[in-house]
Amino acid sequence: MKNNIKVQRAIHNLTQQDLADKIGVSRQTINALEAGKYVPSTVLALKLARLFEKTVNEVFQLEDDD
Amino acid sequence: MKTNYLFPNRLKFISGVLFVTSSLMLTLYYSVSQFGQFEFKAKVFAIYGNDGFLGESGWFWGVDNSILDEILMSIVITTGVVFAFCKEKHEDELVASIRLRSLAWATILNYSILLFCYLFIYGMPFLNVLNVAMFSQLLIFILLFRYKMYRFYKSAAYEE
């Protein structure tokens, strides 16, 4: 699964730490998400999408091997 | 995501210190014969047991026993469990997933080692294997989890 959290974060002018604080995870988790090393739970995906005022589909996309 | 089965983070430091010191003392007690001389003899209640090493046996009675290893093992196991299952400072779902993965690997590794020892160690030395098996899974899990958390915290030491 890929995501564009990094792009969304830049649009909203947030650092990794800001974003982490807003949705209640550690900065390392945001880092792992952006690097594509971690697939978040549905709750976390919904929280991120709500913060960015997008739908989940606009932030997260399936890849061919999913 | 809320987890409610973990111990509070403030217990992590004290339980960690107690776990390391008590497990070192227990290792010394088992491995260095001179330490076996520190005996706190006491009458203890046994559900089933022998009096002495090969004395008469019985159910629900009192036997004479050196209780230093019992005291140490109680401390090792209780502080070990608390230290292993303490909340991290920033507990989130990725930490929970790292914990679960470490626990699975620790179980697999522990039973591989135990099976290996069961097949290739015989006689009295096998008693040592059983002693270590009391807390080996806990120890392997703690080492594995702490190492993975160390890597996790280092993974984003800088802002991209």
Side-chain angles (χ1 to χ4, degrees):
Chain A
M1 191 174 85
K2 59 182 189 223
N3 64 67
N4 55 14
I5 292 173
K6 203 166 179 174
V7 176
Q8 298 295 338
R9 190 162 63 77
I11 292 169
H12 288 79
N13 198 18
L14 295 167
T15 65
Q16 286 187 341
Q17 188 66 61
D18 296 337
L19 181 57
D21 293 341
K22 277 183 192 292
I23 57 171
V25 296
S26 64
R27 186 165 64 79
Q28 285 86 348
T29 302
I30 300 295
N31 197 56
L33 280 170
E34 287 182 359
K37 286 181 195 156
Y38 178 63
V39 176
S41 70
T42 317
V43 174
L44 191 51
L46 284 164
K47 275 187 181 175
L48 282 163
R50 185 173 65 187
L51 188 77
F52 295 142
E53 294 166 332
K54 301 271 178 195
T55 64
V56 173
N57 280 328
E58 288 172 290
V59 184
F60 299 94
Q61 294 88 33
L62 282 174
E63 281 176 301
D64 292 339
D65 56 347
D66 282 326
Chain B
M1 192 176 67
K2 297 216 175 359
T3 45
N4 52 9
Y5 58 87
L6 295 169
F7 296 97
N9 179 256
R10 66 194 143 84
L11 293 178
K12 189 172 142 190
F13 179 74
I14 182 73
S15 63
V17 171
L18 278 173
F19 176 70
V20 171
T21 46
S22 60
S23 49
L24 282 177
M25 281 169 73
L26 192 66
T27 313
L28 278 176
Y29 180 83
Y30 279 139
S31 55
V32 183
S33 54
Q34 283 90 329
F35 283 91
Q37 289 166 356
F38 291 109
E39 286 196 331
F40 299 126
K41 280 275 184 190
K43 196 89 169 166
V44 294
F45 170 74
I47 290 178
Y48 184 78
N50 290 24
D51 202 7
F53 193 62
L54 292 166
E56 54 173 324
S57 62
W59 289 90
F60 300 104
W61 68 319
V63 294
D64 281 320
N65 186 42
S66 168
I67 57 166
L68 187 58
D69 57 324
E70 273 81 5
I71 294 170
L72 283 175
M73 189 61 92
S74 314
I75 300 173
V76 168
I77 288 179
T78 48
T79 57
V81 168
V82 171
F83 181 63
F85 296 103
C86 258
K87 274 189 180 139
E88 288 299 297
K89 204 164 189 179
H90 298 290
E91 184 73 29
D92 66 15
E93 58 178 58
L94 185 47
V95 174
S97 114
I98 293 172
R99 185 181 289 113
L100 182 63
R101 223 169 11 193
S102 308
L103 190 54
W105 276 112
T107 309
I108 293 168
L109 198 61
N110 180 50
Y111 278 103
S112 309
I113 295 168
L114 282 187
L115 184 62
F116 181 84
C117 293
Y118 194 85
L119 293 176
F120 294 109
I121 295 179
Y122 290 91
M124 286 303 279
F126 188 69
L127 271 182
N128 296 326
V129 175
L130 292 179
N131 268 333
V132 175
M134 287 281 296
F135 55 87
S136 59
Q137 179 165 14
L138 201 53
L139 191 66
I140 295 170
F141 168 66
I142 287 172
L143 291 176
L144 214 55
F145 180 53
R146 291 312 343 157
Y147 172 69
K148 292 215 171 161
M149 287 311 292
Y150 168 74
R151 291 275 308 271
F152 175 64
Y153 285 131
K154 271 195 80 170
S155 70
Y158 56 91
E159 183 94 11
E160 281 182 47

